[in-house]
Amino acid sequence: MHMSQKEACVQVAGVEFPTECGKCNPLANYEETIKAAKEAAARQCPPCSEKQCHSDLNRCPSYENTFVCTAGPNHNGCSDSPWDIVPWICAECCELTNCPKVSPLEKTTMQSIDVSDDNCPKCTKEQCKSNLCPMQVAPYLCIEGDSTGGCSTRPWSILNGQCQECCKVHSDC
């Protein structure tokens, strides 16, 4: 589904770059602009289903609006604006914004885990740049080994070779 020129202008001027492009907004009323942009985004990337919310798709960093590609070359890719629905970029997407970041079961499970962080020190600013891990659910980022870029709810076991070095994502990432 493609946007009309007006919807595209509203998206750019009203949602993506309101400070830089807001004066070119085709809608006079700011509230109308936001409403139209959200409606266009919902048509392009509808809210994720409960099943999608509780799947591995929900691993994106939190933006004001968070969109994930659900099918196509960028499957599992994250964006702060709706994906262009074209076969060579993303065939389908959904919006994660209203998905819970930590389910009650995950929260209980995480609280019951008593493991040492010794193998995974706090991530550096440079390591944070490559992070796609949801800090509240799976804060341990593999930075070297077969699982590089992977996220875990527990510190990675360095002994099995799957991840040879890891770090813990933190609020400053």
Side-chain angles (χ1 to χ4, degrees):
M1 178 186 296
H2 295 285
M3 287 190 248
S4 68
Q5 182 177 3
K6 184 176 181 179
E7 289 174 329
C9 287
V10 168
Q11 176 72 26
V12 172
V15 177
E16 294 175 8
F17 303 100
T19 305
E20 297 86 351
C21 304
K23 292 179 182 176
C24 298
N25 190 336
L27 300 177
N29 184 319
Y30 181 73
E31 286 77 26
E32 287 181 28
T33 300
I34 297 301
K35 182 180 175 190
K38 286 184 178 181
E39 287 171 0
R43 284 192 302 278
Q44 194 167 333
C45 294
C48 295
S49 67
E50 186 173 345
K51 184 178 179 181
Q52 290 169 319
C53 285
H54 294 287
S55 73
D56 66 345
L57 289 173
N58 192 358
R59 62 181 188 85
C60 295
S62 293
Y63 302 112
E64 185 174 336
N65 293 300
T66 304
F67 301 90
V68 62
C69 180
T70 57
N74 285 299
H75 183 262
N76 283 340
C78 307
S79 176
D80 62 350
S81 59
W83 286 88
D84 288 330
I85 304 301
V86 289
W88 57 90
I89 296 177
C90 179
E92 293 178 20
C93 61
C94 67
E95 184 178 5
L96 288 167
T97 306
N98 295 319
C99 289
K101 291 298 174 195
V102 181
S103 73
L105 177 61
E106 290 168 324
K107 194 172 197 172
T108 303
T109 303
M110 287 174 62
Q111 290 169 345
S112 68
I113 297 172
D114 184 27
V115 291
S116 170
D117 283 351
D118 293 345
N119 289 340
C120 299
K122 187 176 176 181
C123 294
T124 65
K125 290 281 187 194
E126 192 62 33
Q127 292 164 334
C128 287
K129 289 179 184 176
S130 65
N131 172 51
L132 291 177
C133 296
M135 182 178 66
Q136 301 88 346
V137 180
Y140 298 96
L141 171 65
C142 180
I143 54 176
E144 187 178 322
D146 292 339
S147 294
T148 298
C151 308
S152 176
T153 57
R154 314 174 96 174
W156 290 89
S157 173
I158 307 300
L159 302 175
N160 67 10
Q162 185 178 4
C163 180
Q164 293 155 349
E165 188 178 353
C166 60
C167 65
K168 185 175 182 181
V169 177
H170 51 88
S171 59
D172 294 333
C173 278

